[in-house]
Amino acid sequence: MQGVLQKLNATVRQLLSPTLIASAAVLALAVGTGAQLEQAPKDKTAGQYYKNIKVLNDIPASDLLPGMRYITTALGVKCDYCHVKPFDKDEKPEKETARQMMTMLFAINKNNFDGRSEVSCYTCHQGNHQPMGVPPLPAEALAPQFIRPTAGSTPQPLPSADAVLDKYTQAIGSEEALSKVTSREIQLQETDSDGKTYAVETYEKGLGKMYEVTTLPEGEITAGFDGSRAWVASSQGTRDAEPSDAIILRREAAVNPAAALKSYTDKHVRARAKIGDETTYVMQAKAPDGIIELLFFDEQSGLLVRRMIRNRTIFGSLPVQADYADYKPVDGVNIPYKTTWSRAGESSSYTIKDVKNNVPVDDSKFEPPAKQ
C-alpha cells in the first residue's frame, strides 16, 4: 500500500507540478556523515572529516551540516528521507539520487551563473520532496490529502473501479433514469477569477457533443465539441480551441457522465484521499483523448467531486482541474449545480440557473460555424 501511495503522490505531483528536471527523484540529504554531530573543524574538508563523501568532498567540513539543514527545509523532509544509521551507509536509493541532483545543480550554476548559487534546491522543490515544475492552481483549489495507513495498522481494502463506477451511476440516478435523457439545455452564470459574471447557455447531446454561447460585453463567443474537434468562434472567426479549453469542452460533452467514464480505459482505484471534509476514492484512468486523469469519488455518496488532468506543453505540463458540488435532481438524474474549472493562475465557477432535458437540438449546432 505504501508503494502505491508513493507512486500516486508522484502522479499527483506531476498533475499539479510536474518535474522541471529529467529525473523524477528528489534532491535530498545526499551524503552520509557517519561522524560526530559536534562542530566540525574548519581546517578539514568534508571528505577528510566525514565518511563516504562522494560529491561534497572539497567543501569545508563545517559547511556540511548547515547545507544538510538547508536541504531538509527546501524539500520539507527529515534526515531519514535519505539516511539510515550510521549515516555513512548507502542503503536508500534516495541518497544516490540526491548525489546526482547535487552534481546537476553545481553544473547548472557553473555553466550558467559563473558558479554563483543562483539555482538552488528550493528553486524547483519549494518545500516539496517532488520538484515544483508547473504553476500552481489557485489557492481555492484545495490540494487532496492522501490517506496513509498508520504504523502497525492494516490498510483498508480498496474497491474495484467497476464497483466505484456502479455506485456513481446509482448516485446520479440509475441506468434507467440516465437512458431517458438524450439532450440537455442549461442556463448558467459564470463567475471568473476577478468576480465578473457572464451568462452562458449550454447544449449537450449524447456522449460526445456540446456547444455553448457566452455573452460578453464585447459580444458573443461560441464554443463546442462535435465529437472530434473542439472549436471556438466569435466575430473574429472560427479556430480550434486551445488545448486546455479543448480538454474542458470534451469533458462537458456528456449528457450521461457515467457512461462517459465507463468508456475510459486502464481504470484502477489507487488510494483514498481527503478533499476538505470529504473522504474520496481516487481512480486513475485514461480518457478517450489519451490523457490520464485522477477521478475523486465521495466514499459515502459515490458522487464524483473532482477530476485532475494534466495538459502537456513543449515546456512542461499545466494542471486542469474540475470540482463538482451541490448535486440536485432533475427528472430523476442528479447533476452538479456548481462546477469550478481551475487552471494555472485562474478559475471559473459555473452555477446552474435552469435545466431542461430532452430539448430538440439540431446536430449542425455542434459543428464549427465555418462548416455550416
Side-chain angles (χ1 to χ4, degrees):
M1 182 65 173
Q2 187 75 8
V4 171
L5 285 171
Q6 288 174 342
K7 291 179 181 178
L8 185 58
N9 275 321
T11 301
V12 172
R13 180 59 59 193
Q14 288 176 338
L15 285 167
L16 297 176
S17 357
T19 177
L20 180 65
I21 54 182
S23 173
V26 298
L27 171 59
L29 306 184
V31 295
T33 59
Q36 307 97 302
L37 294 181
E38 69 265 15
Q39 183 66 40
K42 293 183 179 181
D43 60 345
K44 290 185 179 292
T45 66
Q48 292 171 333
Y49 185 69
Y50 294 106
K51 296 179 181 179
N52 197 22
I53 304 296
K54 296 183 178 180
V55 175
L56 304 177
N57 307 68
D58 298 328
I59 70 168
S62 58
D63 286 350
L64 185 67
L65 290 183
M68 295 293 98
R69 292 190 185 98
Y70 172 83
I71 295 174
T72 61
T73 303
L75 274 69
V77 298
K78 296 182 179 180
C79 301
D80 59 4
Y81 189 80
C82 284
H83 291 286
V84 297
K85 292 182 180 180
F87 277 14
D88 59 295
K89 288 185 174 293
D90 289 343
E91 292 187 4
K92 301 191 76 171
E94 289 84 355
K95 188 175 177 184
E96 181 56 36
T97 296
R99 287 175 172 141
Q100 297 171 10
M101 296 297 100
M102 285 181 176
T103 301
M104 178 196 71
L105 179 68
F106 296 149
I108 290 173
N109 284 319
K110 177 182 178 181
N111 296 332
N112 298 278
F113 302 105
D114 296 324
R116 301 188 307 275
S117 298
E118 299 289 343
V119 175
S120 70
C121 313
Y122 192 77
T123 302
C124 295
H125 287 271
Q126 300 182 31
N128 298 278
H129 69 279
Q130 290 287 336
M132 300 290 288
V134 155
L137 290 171
E140 58 268 23
L142 295 175
Q145 303 298 316
F146 287 89
I147 299 172
R148 300 175 180 273
T150 58
S153 66
T154 302
Q156 178 177 319
L158 298 172
S160 67
D162 288 342
V164 169
L165 289 178
D166 287 343
K167 185 172 181 177
Y168 171 60
T169 301
Q170 292 299 316
I172 61 174
S174 80
E175 293 280 8
E176 181 181 2
L178 289 164
S179 66
K180 293 179 180 178
V181 181
T182 58
S183 65
R184 184 175 289 129
E185 175 188 333
I186 309 175
Q187 304 295 326
L188 306 110
Q189 177 178 286
E190 175 188 358
T191 304
D192 68 13
S193 300
D194 297 323
K196 297 178 181 178
T197 60
Y198 310 99
V200 182
E201 188 175 293
T202 298
Y203 294 85
E204 304 168 352
K205 188 174 183 179
L207 281 180
K209 294 181 179 180
M210 69 84 65
Y211 81 96
E212 64 182 22
V213 181
T214 303
T215 302
L216 303 175
E218 58 270 27
E220 291 185 346
I221 293 182
T222 307
F225 182 71
D226 63 6
S228 59
R229 180 190 179 192
W231 52 269
V232 177
S234 69
S235 59
Q236 304 300 312
T238 302
R239 61 173 173 80
D240 287 337
E242 297 293 337
S244 59
D245 292 326
I247 287 171
I248 294 172
L249 291 169
R250 179 186 285 269
R251 280 147 187 81
E252 292 291 346
V255 171
N256 184 339
L261 291 180
K262 287 181 179 180
S263 72
Y264 282 30
T265 58
D266 300 333
K267 298 185 288 287
H268 302 282
V269 178
R270 302 291 299 275
R272 298 167 69 235
K274 296 275 288 185
I275 300 178
D277 294 330
E278 295 179 300
T279 302
T280 65
Y281 289 121
V282 186
M283 180 187 300
Q284 181 177 309
K286 182 186 289 187
D289 56 9
I291 296 176
I292 301 296
E293 295 186 27
L294 291 182
L295 303 161
F296 295 74
F297 296 88
D298 185 275
E299 189 176 78
Q300 298 300 318
S301 69
L303 294 170
L304 178 67
V305 296
R306 172 174 291 181
R307 69 199 318 154
M308 296 173 65
I309 307 163
R310 181 173 58 175
N311 173 34
R312 294 184 181 275
T313 76
I314 59 172
F315 294 111
S317 296
L318 292 172
V320 180
Q321 178 174 298
D323 285 286
Y324 305 100
D326 195 21
Y327 279 82
K328 296 179 181 179
V330 179
D331 298 331
V333 175
N334 285 308
I335 61 176
Y337 264 60
K338 183 177 181 180
T339 300
T340 301
W341 281 99
S342 301
R343 290 177 278 189
E346 64 180 10
S347 64
S348 291
S349 294
Y350 298 85
T351 303
I352 292 178
K353 298 299 182 181
D354 187 46
V355 181
K356 295 178 182 177
N357 287 329
N358 298 324
V359 295
V361 185
D362 192 279
D363 283 344
S364 63
K365 290 288 189 180
F366 303 107
E367 298 176 358
K371 290 185 177 181
Q372 294 180 2

